[in-house]
């Protein structure tokens, strides 16, 4: 979601990009990652200084709050300065060629441009970004040779600014574009500052003379780029690399903007960076994918992939720590541990997969979808094996499979719990259980397949008899339950939700045994317990993964790397790895700190 979010350090060794509220430095050679923490909300823009000494990043914030710009010291991986002036959002940041100044642009609710002195960490001056009556500004770019000149552009506005340090002022000059009225999404200034190339939402490129502030030409005349031009890069030859909102990456001629070569990528291009003296490219797209491309054959190779929206659920197959699956909007993905590319992607367009589970025999993946259908897929082929239509009227929200692999228990948005029997050539509905008053958020089945527990947003957890299909026990709390787990001895369950507590309950009489303060701020959304029952893990809106000792009720380890609310956590059955996922689409793999006990 971040325009120009993928950056390459001048040392050509690290790729830099944001994920939620953190910034990731990824070593190209071996994929090793480092993380920069400092933002309190999602990063909205990022820039790298020419020398590579500094990284600048701005964030989004809530209305009425200031959105900081952070300057990072790259060598020390620390915060050099935190600059607070803009309201609600920082739209773009850019360093001057000598790293002396940083220019930052506020979002639509702020509308100002500020020039900062990097060394003293002070604002030098500021000004409204657009003229009165013009639209809001979207991007800003510094000159390549002059510390006192930069350009800004947006909806019906295109300006070149000069910094007057003596008077602490910035003076804008409007660029004359004649009758051409465009919304500019990106600016690229040629090496010697002769020309400025502006990519527009209309799908064409404007070429501006920087000295005269005058439109020279625009194109392509006939075949414009679909969904606008989002990135432009000038090559040494003067030709342009153009990335469009439809995912086209094209090499086009400097004279008439005609396409010379092109390649089609998945979803819109957001970033293009050069490495190895311009022979190799890295491209970032809106599909949260990174491609490598060499100029010789102009073929794109997928380097890494991820979900482009929040991850809803994680499933790990029984008795393995090599494989896991995640689900999100539109797709289910299977991952091999340690590999940045997915093994398999199962896509269902325009729908959201709310929950998934592996059947214990490993022959199928069962999944719950927002259109009210249950879909069963083959884990190797990704082929649709079975579809249960109209499983729930308001979407299927939770799902679990029995140990004998013959039945599925599902929960829906309307609060019903339904039990389905899987037959050799289809399925049948065994029972509908109606007691919940709101959506069912979690389903867990007892190991003998005779009972299950469901948690719901109505503040009730119900234990159901799966033989007679009646409720055995109700646990009521003043919370929206998000998750529930059976302790392996199955005499107790643990629940958590929006009241920030982890509660232990007795299965026999439904009484509360103990309450633990699970989080300082925000709901607990994900929880999972180890096979031996000695430890469990929680994750929630405070962005922390916490490992707990079950008997003592103490936190033994805390992981603080997520850049957004954690949606789910899972421990593999042999306690090797812990996987957590969050609302920014990030999937994190941790070494689980406690080996399984001999118990």
């Amino acid at each position: 979601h971040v325009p120009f979010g993928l950056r390459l350090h001048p040392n050509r060794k690290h790729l830099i990009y944001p994920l939620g509220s953190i910034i990731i430095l990824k070593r190209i050679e071996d994929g090793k990652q480092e993380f920069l923490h400092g933002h309190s909300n999602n990063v909205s823009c990022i820039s790298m200084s020419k020398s590579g000494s500094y990284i600048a990043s701005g964030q989004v914030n809530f209305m009425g709050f200031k959105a900081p710009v952070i300057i990072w010291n790259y060598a020390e991986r620390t915060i050099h300065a935190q600059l607070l002036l803009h309201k609600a959002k920082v739209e773009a940041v850019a360093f001057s060629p000598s790293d002396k100044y940083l220019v930052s642009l506020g979002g639509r609710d702020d509308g100002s441009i500020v020039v900062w002195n990097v060394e003293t960490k002070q604002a030098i001056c500021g000004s409204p970004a657009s003229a009165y009556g013009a639209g809001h500004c979207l991007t800003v770019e510094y000159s390549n040779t002059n510390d006192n000149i930069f350009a800004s552009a947006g909806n019906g506005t295109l300006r070149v600014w000069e910094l007057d340090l003596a008077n602490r002022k910035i003076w804008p000059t409007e660029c004359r574009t004649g009758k051409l009225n465009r919304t500019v999404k990106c600016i690229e200034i040629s090496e010697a500052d002769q020309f400025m190339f502006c990519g527009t939402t209309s799908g064409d490129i404007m070429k501006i003379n920087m000295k005269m502030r005058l439109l020279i030409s625009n194109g392509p005349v006939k075949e414009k780029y679909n969904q606008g031009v989002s990135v432009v890069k000038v090559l040494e030859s003067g030709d342009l690399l153009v990335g469009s909102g439809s995912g086209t990456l094209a090499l086009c001629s400097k004279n008439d903007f005609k396409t010379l070569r092109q390649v089609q990528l998945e979803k819109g291009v957001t970033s293009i960076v050069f490495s190895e003296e311009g022979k190799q490219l890295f491209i970032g797209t809106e599909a949260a994918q990174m491609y490598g491309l060499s100029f010789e054959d102009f073929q794109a190779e997928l380097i890494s992939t991820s979900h482009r929206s929040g991850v809803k659920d994680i499933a790990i197959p029984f008795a393995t720590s090599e494989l896991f699956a995640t689900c999100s909007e539109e797709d289910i993905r299977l991952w091999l541990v340690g590999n940045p590319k997915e093994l398999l992607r199962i896509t269902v367009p325009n729908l959201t997969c709310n929950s998934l589970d592996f059947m214990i025999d490993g022959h199928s993946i069962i999944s719950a979808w927002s259109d009210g259908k249950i879909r069963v897929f083959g884990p190797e082929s990704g082929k649709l094996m079975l579809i249960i239509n109209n499983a729930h009227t308001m979407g299927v929200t939770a799902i679990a499979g029995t140990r004998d692999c013959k039945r599925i228990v599902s929960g829906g948005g309307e609060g019903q719990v339904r039990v389905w029997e899987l037959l050799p050539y289809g399925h049948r509905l065994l029972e509908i259980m109606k007691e919940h008053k709101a959506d069912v958020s979690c389903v867990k089945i007892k190991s003998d397949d005779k009972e299950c527990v469901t948690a719901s947003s109505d503040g009730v957890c119900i234990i159901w008899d799966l033989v007679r299909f009646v409720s055995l026990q109700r646990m009521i709390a003043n919370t929206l339950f998000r998750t529930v787990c059976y302790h392996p001895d199955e005499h107790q369950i643990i629940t958590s939700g929006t009241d920030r507590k982890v509660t232990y309950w007795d299965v026999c009489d439904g009484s509360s045994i103990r309450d633990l303060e699970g989080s300082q701020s925000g709901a607990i959304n994900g929880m999972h317990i180890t096979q031996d029952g000695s430890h469990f893990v929680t994750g929630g809106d405070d962005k922390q993964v916490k490992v707990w000792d079950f008997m003592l009720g103490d936190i033994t380890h805390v992981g603080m790397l997520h850049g957004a609310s954690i949606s789910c956590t899972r421990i593999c059955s042999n306690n090797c790895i812990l996987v957590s996922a969050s609302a920014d689409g990030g999937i994190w793999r941790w070494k689980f700190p406690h080996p399984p006990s001999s118990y």
Side-chain angles (χ1 to χ4, degrees), residues 128-292:
S130 311
Y132 182 74
H136 64 279
C137 203
L138 294 170
T139 184
V140 65
E141 190 66 45
Y142 234 106
S143 145
N144 290 311
T145 57
N146 191 334
D147 270 346
N148 298 324
I149 290 182
F150 62 90
S152 73
N155 183 357
T157 171
L158 180 54
R159 295 171 142 191
V160 176
W161 301 76
E162 278 190 58
L163 173 63
D164 178 356
L165 199 60
N167 296 315
R168 294 184 68 144
K169 284 260 191 303
I170 40 175
W171 305 104
T173 313
E174 302 287 343
C175 292
R176 290 168 293 160
T177 58
K179 290 181 180 173
L180 214 63
N181 190 7
R182 294 284 189 264
T183 298
V184 176
K185 284 177 87 173
C186 59
I187 302 171
E188 174 77 352
I189 298 172
S190 64
E191 198 65 38
D193 290 343
Q194 275 179 299
F195 303 112
M196 182 162 73
F197 296 93
C198 305
T200 71
T201 52
S202 313
D204 57 359
I205 299 154
M206 299 195 292
K207 186 177 182 181
I208 309 278
N209 184 314
M210 278 284 279
K211 283 198 175 69
M212 309 285 292
R213 325 281 203 249
L214 185 67
L215 176 71
I216 301 170
S217 62
N218 79 305
V221 180
K222 286 186 178 165
E223 289 181 16
K224 296 197 173 5
Y225 291 97
N226 232 346
Q227 294 181 39
V229 173
S230 48
V231 199
V232 177
K233 287 283 175 203
V234 181
L235 303 173
E236 282 175 11
S237 61
D239 290 339
L240 304 178
L241 263 177
V242 180
S244 80
S246 63
T248 306
L249 180 76
L251 177 65
C252 68
S253 157
K254 58 185 169 188
N255 302 322
D256 53 6
F257 303 108
K258 247 190 186 149
T259 302
L260 305 172
R261 310 175 80 175
Q262 73 174 46
V263 63
Q264 185 62 40
L265 309 174
E266 190 184 340
K267 296 268 191 289
V269 177
T270 59
S271 325
I272 301 172
V273 288
F274 295 109
S275 79
E276 291 177 28
E277 287 68 60
K279 287 178 190 161
Q280 172 88 17
L281 293 176
F282 290 107
I283 300 134
T285 72
E286 285 172 7
Q289 304 198 151
M290 240 179 263
Y291 295 88

Side-chain angles (χ1 to χ4, degrees), residues 24 27 51 96 102 168 227 249 270 284 287 360 404 501 569 593:
I24 296 177
R27 199 155 64 197
S51 67
S96 70
L102 174 77
R168 294 184 68 144
Q227 294 181 39
L249 180 76
T270 59
I360 208 156
D404 61 10
K501 289 186 171 66
T569 55

Side-chain angles (χ1 to χ4, degrees), residues 332-499:
I332 294 170
R333 303 190 189 198
L334 249 73
W335 307 86
L336 194 64
V337 166
N339 189 353
K341 287 188 288 190
E342 74 252 17
L343 274 181
L344 175 72
R345 187 187 307 185
I346 301 164
T347 306
V348 183
N350 305 323
L351 295 176
T352 300
C353 181
N354 291 318
S355 179
L356 83 164
D357 196 10
F358 279 96
M359 280 299 204
I360 208 156
D361 60 7
H363 290 314
S364 56
I365 299 169
I366 54 173
S367 56
W369 293 81
S370 57
D371 62 348
K373 295 178 183 178
I374 294 170
R375 292 175 171 87
V376 181
F377 298 98
E380 286 181 17
S381 62
K383 208 171 112 206
L384 183 64
M385 294 159 63
L386 172 72
I387 185 163
I388 302 177
N389 291 309
N390 306 319
H392 289 271
T393 52
M394 292 169 67
V396 190
T397 53
I399 199 161
T402 57
R403 291 259 171 149
D404 61 10
C405 304
K406 288 178 182 169
R407 289 188 291 175
I408 292 173
V409 180
S410 65
E414 73 295 311
Q416 293 184 4
V417 179
R418 298 188 174 192
V419 184
W420 308 85
E421 186 179 12
L422 299 176
L423 304 169
Y425 302 104
H427 62 275
R428 80 187 168 106
L429 177 62
L430 288 179
E431 192 63 53
I432 301 173
M433 300 184 285
K434 307 179 192 173
E435 281 194 29
H436 286 300
K437 301 284 188 291
D439 61 291
V440 177
S441 50
C442 190
V443 175
K444 291 282 163 59
I445 300 172
K446 202 172 166 183
S447 59
D448 62 3
D449 293 342
K450 289 180 180 172
E451 283 177 23
C452 77
V453 60
T454 56
S456 168
S457 300
D458 61 2
V460 181
C461 269
I462 301 177
I463 295 174
W464 304 91
D465 185 324
L466 290 181
V467 180
R468 294 178 296 132
F469 303 112
V470 293
S471 66
L472 300 172
Q473 212 51 262
R474 292 165 68 93
M475 283 73 97
I476 301 170
N478 187 15
T479 180
L480 310 180
F481 283 119
R482 291 279 163 84
T483 176
V484 60
C485 287
Y486 269 109
H487 186 270
D489 69 11
E490 295 174 341
H491 297 313
Q492 290 180 21
I493 60 167
I494 49 174
T495 62
S496 63
T498 52
D499 63 353

Side-chain angles (χ1 to χ4, degrees), residues 316 320-324 334-340 343 577 579 589:
I316 301 179
T320 178
S321 57
E322 297 299 310
L323 196 73
F324 63 93
L334 249 73
W335 307 86
L336 194 64
V337 166
N339 189 353
L343 274 181
I577 61 160
V579 181
R589 185 168 54 87

Side-chain angles (χ1 to χ4, degrees), residues 530-543:
T530 57
Q531 288 282 94
D532 57 16
S534 58
H535 296 90
F536 65 94
V537 61
T538 60
D541 293 348
D542 62 355
K543 307 177 188 174

Side-chain angles (χ1 to χ4, degrees), residues 288-348:
Q289 304 198 151
M290 240 179 263
Y291 295 88
L293 184 134
S294 68
F295 269 114
E296 287 164 16
D297 56 1
F298 218 72
Q299 292 294 314
E301 181 205 347
L302 200 56
I303 295 171
S304 76
T305 59
S306 184
H307 290 288
R308 65 192 178 96
S309 54
V311 179
K312 301 279 185 183
D313 200 7
I314 303 166
I316 301 179
F318 183 69
T320 178
S321 57
E322 297 299 310
L323 196 73
F324 63 93
T326 54
C327 68
S328 176
E329 265 180 46
E330 298 198 334
D331 53 27
I332 294 170
R333 303 190 189 198
L334 249 73
W335 307 86
L336 194 64
V337 166
N339 189 353
K341 287 188 288 190
E342 74 252 17
L343 274 181
L344 175 72
R345 187 187 307 185
I346 301 164
T347 306
V348 183

